[in-house]
Amino acid sequence: MVDAVPGGAMRVLGPLPWGPRQGIGDWVLRLEFRRAVLWLPVGIGLGIWAYFAWPAEPPVMAILAPLPGLMLLALPIVRRFMLLRVLALVALALGLGFALALGAAVRAEGPRLGAPVTATLEGRVVAVDRAASGAPRVLLERATLFGYGPERTPARMRVALLEQQGEPVPPPGTWLMVRATFFPPSAPVEPGAFDFARHAYFEGIGATGFARNPALMLPAEEAAGARAEHAPGLFTRLRLGLSALRLNLADALRARMPGRAGAFAAAIIVGDRSAIEEVDAEALRISSLAHLLAISGLHMGLLTALVFSGTRAVLALVGPRWLPLNVKKLAAVFALCAAAGYLMLSGGTVATQRAFVMVAVALFAVLIDRPAISLRGLALAAIIVLAIHPVALFNPGFQMSFAATTALVAAYEALTARRRRREAGREEATGDEARATPLFALRLVQPLTSAAGAVLFTSIIAGTATAPFAGVHFNRVATWGLLANLGAVPVMGAWIAPAGIAAGLAAPFGLAQPFLDLMGLGIEWVLSVAHGVAALPGADHAVPAAGDGVLGAIALGGLWAAVWRGPWRVGGVAVAAMAAVLWQADPPPRPALLIAAEGRLVGLMGPEGRVLDRARGQGYAAETWLRRDGDRVSQEKAASRPGFSDGEGGARLGQMPGGWRVAVLKGRGATAERQATYCTEHTLLVAPRAAQKPPGRCRFIGFDSLQARSVAVHVLPHGTLSLVTAKATGCRRWQVGWRRCPSFGGTD
């Protein structure tokens, strides 16, 4: 039987397996089954999430997960019934996502350090940036770690050159020798926080460290690593050449545009954010303008839009008589080439790759006479990005970029459909109405009001779509972000980007300086807006860490509202809004006690907020804990709060809910006798250097519990303690020792 599906599609449907054609079958048809394809990237994303949420590393044979879905689709009975086809496609999408994630994890596998080591390292510099301290930091490949065999030496290692400040930074392609202290990639500083070990694994980084000795630059023929390889291939030479070009361009921009304008320009043109002052970076974060620094969808979209429209205007002047080609398609080819060049020039980060894929899909749609911007094109871009980088699913940039773009496309699609319905139902104007014309002043102002309304509407939609993701990942919501974006984004698109493109075109002729000066004025305006908005009262609203499933509920609710049409899309809005309200009204309780790996830092929830046992050191852990508490104080301020008191032998004593006392024993005063003194009933004893529990009735956290792992302590309602660890060792490929864990097939 052939049925007409709303939207003009024709589907061959057999009788539904649950019985009558009426009722549920008609309701499913009204859901516009044509748009169900937009859920394909969602199913792939859920499959990727399932792989990373799996409790232990699955066997490699699990890469065949898409096969059940394919086999179901091949069955004749499945092809007869729409419901079975939908279920088979869901199984196929989930299995495909799982297989993509597992395949990426297998490809990324390589040697990693299992313990800290101090040794001499030699390797080739492939990237240069700066650490949080301002020291230059280099990423080395083809590394040789003296004293370690090739099978134990990570392929890529990152080292901060602490004694290199003020000295020339080794450019990409340089062979470097340095003695440094290296550590395995660290585990999360608390359960649920950012997992640097997983991030480093998929980046191919097997160790990070620092060097307090000056680095020695070597000629390639004298490097031990160079003797083990042949001459670099074309791709390697191109990659190193582009990295060196990026650094040279960044230095040239900062020289021609002194101060913060040059640092900003280097960030948005070549992706070098090392010279951005922290005060400017913080103002951009508070005002919700930090996305202007990341080379992502906005920058790639502005570049391609300007190149596309400019090229099309120039080619239109030539006319079809002299240029017998489709001007629009030729402009799309020029814009695509410009986007590819920007991708290579900016360093090709994951965010830039994601933006390039989205732009390439839109421009390819122009070439084949399809709508350039649509939800189908966006779904295709998401599938391509997830296929290339499955772990990008957990990247805040990926989530916020696709959330904003999906919301904008869906919103403008709904407005367009509404306008078409209104125009279709409007009666023809009478003769008097047809002769009536608006006043000249109104006709002059109308384009301006339309443009202002479009900017306002776009900012509201994009800001609303990205706010939950910013709150979950960064624990902050920019209260005045809409105001800041209204003041800065139009300047970015109409002033800074055109001036930057003009400077690039004029540079070969030595005429770039006027355009760089013009660009600098626009950048100063953006930074002034950022600082002005950041200074407004309540500009930086802190939010506590969200519970499990909050972000997923918000994302799925938003997708439901964006993908489907009709009144049932309100259900998606309701789910997303309810999850956000419950998160703010009843946030999950924060741990009563947090302990960093090796016990280097301890944070107790006190009467005024979390109190830390030290005012300096372990700054990243301290900042993360306080941020996830929804607390914006400094580490020094948190260390001065009431909550800890001094005990004998340097012990730090505090009180937790449920009548529990905590005793932290570090340093030389943590003798066995002192530990036994504090090991009493209803006491949690934290002794990072103690290998064994002392005699007594206390709960004990010692060396074994804190080795390369952080611990969060919760006090349950009935008064018992729950200890949750975030560890670097475990049963996943990015964790040390995963091969010793049982998998589906036994010991892997």
Side-chain angles (χ1 to χ4, degrees):
M1 180 185 294
V2 179
D3 293 316
V5 179
M10 304 296 291
R11 298 293 181 194
V12 179
L13 303 174
L16 297 177
W18 50 72
R21 286 264 328 158
Q22 303 300 322
I24 298 179
D26 289 342
W27 181 79
V28 171
L29 290 177
R30 286 196 300 271
L31 288 179
E32 299 192 50
F33 189 67
R34 291 178 69 242
R35 294 172 70 86
V37 68
L38 300 178
W39 288 98
L40 181 59
V42 180
I44 293 175
L46 289 174
I48 294 172
W49 172 85
Y51 167 78
F52 285 99
W54 215 258
E57 187 63 28
V60 177
M61 289 300 295
I63 204 168
L64 302 177
L67 282 182
L70 288 173
M71 294 172 63
L72 285 174
L73 286 174
L75 296 177
I77 189 172
V78 172
R79 293 198 299 269
R80 270 186 75 191
F81 301 118
M82 181 176 65
L83 178 61
L84 294 181
R85 289 205 305 272
V86 170
L87 294 177
L89 288 172
V90 170
L92 177 61
L94 292 173
L96 183 60
F98 195 95
L100 286 172
L102 177 56
V106 172
R107 292 194 305 272
E109 187 176 353
R112 284 162 292 160
L113 287 187
V117 61
T118 299
T120 299
L121 169 71
E122 183 182 289
R124 183 173 61 196
V125 178
V126 293
V128 180
D129 60 0
R130 291 193 179 274
S133 63
R137 187 172 59 182
V138 294
L139 179 63
L140 303 173
E141 68 177 12
R142 299 283 184 180
T144 299
L145 195 62
F146 292 93
Y148 283 72
E151 70 284 353
R152 298 173 57 197
T153 302
R156 308 179 88 194
M157 305 175 75
R158 177 175 287 156
V159 56
L161 306 176
L162 301 183
E163 298 300 322
Q164 206 78 14
Q165 300 191 48
E167 299 293 330
V169 178
T174 304
W175 283 88
L176 203 67
M177 177 182 287
V178 64
R179 185 166 181 82
T181 300
F182 295 98
F183 303 90
S186 59
V189 295
E190 71 163 279
F194 175 71
D195 191 348
F196 178 72
R198 186 179 69 185
H199 172 77
Y201 176 83
F202 285 95
E203 291 289 323
I205 300 174
T208 60
F210 62 89
R212 297 194 180 277
N213 301 315
L216 176 64
M217 287 181 277
L218 301 174
E221 59 272 11
E222 296 182 11
R227 289 197 299 267
E229 65 167 351
H230 300 290
L234 177 62
F235 178 76
T236 300
R237 292 198 302 271
L238 177 62
R239 178 164 53 92
L240 295 175
L242 286 172
S243 297
L245 177 63
R246 289 177 57 238
L247 287 180
N248 293 334
L249 282 176
D251 292 338
L253 285 169
R254 288 190 286 263
R256 303 284 290 272
M257 302 171 64
R260 61 184 189 176
F264 193 101
I268 64 175
I269 293 178
V270 297
D272 183 2
R273 288 187 275 181
S274 60
I276 297 288
E277 296 290 340
E278 180 58 29
V279 62
D280 292 330
E282 183 65 10
L284 290 166
R285 285 191 289 264
I286 294 175
S287 59
S288 187
L289 294 178
H291 65 93
L292 298 182
L293 292 178
I295 299 178
S296 56
L298 175 65
H299 305 73
M300 193 70 74
L302 288 174
L303 173 71
T304 53
L306 290 170
V307 172
F308 177 80
S309 57
T311 305
R312 191 176 181 184
V314 171
L315 294 178
L317 294 176
V318 178
R321 180 178 177 180
W322 304 103
L323 188 66
L325 297 174
N326 188 307
V327 171
K328 182 179 179 181
K329 294 184 179 181
L330 192 57
V333 172
F334 275 98
L336 186 59
C337 293
Y342 193 30
L343 172 68
M344 293 186 291
L345 181 64
S346 61
T349 63
V350 174
T352 314
Q353 293 176 31
R354 179 180 64 249
F356 174 76
V357 168
M358 295 174 67
V359 165
V361 168
L363 293 174
F364 184 74
V366 173
L367 294 176
I368 61 175
D369 297 316
R370 302 292 295 175
I373 301 176
S374 66
L375 287 177
R376 288 177 178 268
L378 189 62
L380 177 59
I383 292 173
I384 295 174
V385 171
L386 291 176
I388 298 173
H389 294 289
V391 75
L393 177 71
F394 303 96
N395 186 284
F398 173 90
Q399 297 174 5
M400 297 175 72
S401 175
F402 276 97
T405 309
T406 302
L408 288 171
V409 173
Y412 277 103
E413 182 186 72
L415 288 178
T416 302
R418 183 179 179 182
R419 184 175 66 250
R420 289 175 178 171
R421 289 195 301 267
R422 187 172 62 247
E423 292 175 352
R426 184 183 301 163
E427 296 182 356
E428 293 184 2
T430 62
D432 294 337
E433 292 172 336
R435 287 191 297 270
T437 57
L439 296 175
F440 177 75
L442 292 179
R443 296 172 64 183
L444 192 64
V445 172
Q446 185 176 1
L448 298 177
T449 57
S450 299
V455 171
L456 179 62
F457 179 76
T458 299
S459 298
I460 291 175
I461 294 297
T464 303
T466 57
F469 297 89
V472 169
H473 290 292
F474 309 117
N475 303 103
R476 70 195 322 164
V477 174
T479 309
W480 303 102
L482 175 60
L483 177 63
N485 280 274
L486 288 175
V489 173
V491 175
M492 187 78 181
W495 185 343
I496 298 175
I501 294 174
L505 295 175
F509 308 100
L511 302 175
Q513 191 60 48
F515 299 105
L516 292 177
D517 293 339
L518 185 63
M519 185 181 181
L521 293 175
I523 291 173
E524 290 292 344
W525 168 264
V526 169
L527 291 175
S528 299
V529 169
H531 283 280
V533 170
L536 294 176
D540 188 14
H541 177 63
V543 294
D548 296 337
V550 168
L551 190 60
I554 293 175
L556 290 177
L559 287 169
W560 181 276
V563 170
W564 296 130
R565 294 172 176 170
W568 45 82
R569 72 189 335 175
V570 178
V573 177
V575 170
M578 185 179 301
V581 169
L582 290 177
W583 168 28
Q584 295 301 305
D586 187 22
R590 294 287 295 148
L593 186 72
L594 286 167
I595 311 170
E598 280 78 46
R600 298 190 187 100
L601 183 70
V602 178
L604 173 68
M605 188 62 74
E608 297 180 5
R610 193 167 303 278
V611 54
L612 305 178
D613 69 336
R614 54 188 299 184
R616 295 181 180 274
Q618 297 298 304
Y620 176 70
E623 187 272 333
T624 302
W625 292 354
L626 295 170
R627 173 174 55 80
R628 289 173 61 84
D629 288 340
D631 198 347
R632 287 295 178 208
V633 301
S634 64
Q635 180 178 357
E636 186 176 359
K637 173 68 175 176
S640 65
R641 287 171 168 170
F644 274 127
S645 61
D646 295 330
E648 296 181 3
R652 304 300 302 276
L653 307 177
Q655 197 68 30
M656 294 192 299
W660 283 89
R661 182 180 69 158
V662 59
V664 181
L665 287 171
K666 299 182 183 180
R668 297 179 179 179
T671 61
E673 295 78 9
R674 194 79 63 191
Q675 295 171 27
T677 302
Y678 287 107
C679 191
T680 59
E681 192 172 3
H682 271 82
T683 296
L684 175 64
L685 176 60
V686 180
R689 294 190 177 184
Q692 295 181 346
K693 177 182 176 298
R697 304 185 62 182
C698 64
R699 288 290 299 271
F700 176 70
I701 300 178
F703 177 81
D704 291 338
S705 301
L706 295 173
Q707 188 177 16
R709 68 186 71 186
S710 59
V711 177
V713 181
H714 297 265
V715 181
L716 302 181
H718 49 275
T720 59
L721 296 184
S722 172
L723 275 60
V724 184
T725 63
K727 50 190 177 180
T729 58
C731 296
R732 303 313 306 265
R733 289 181 181 269
W734 51 89
Q735 295 175 323
V736 176
W738 71 274
R739 290 183 178 276
R740 296 190 294 270
C741 297
S743 67
F744 295 131
T747 301
D748 200 345

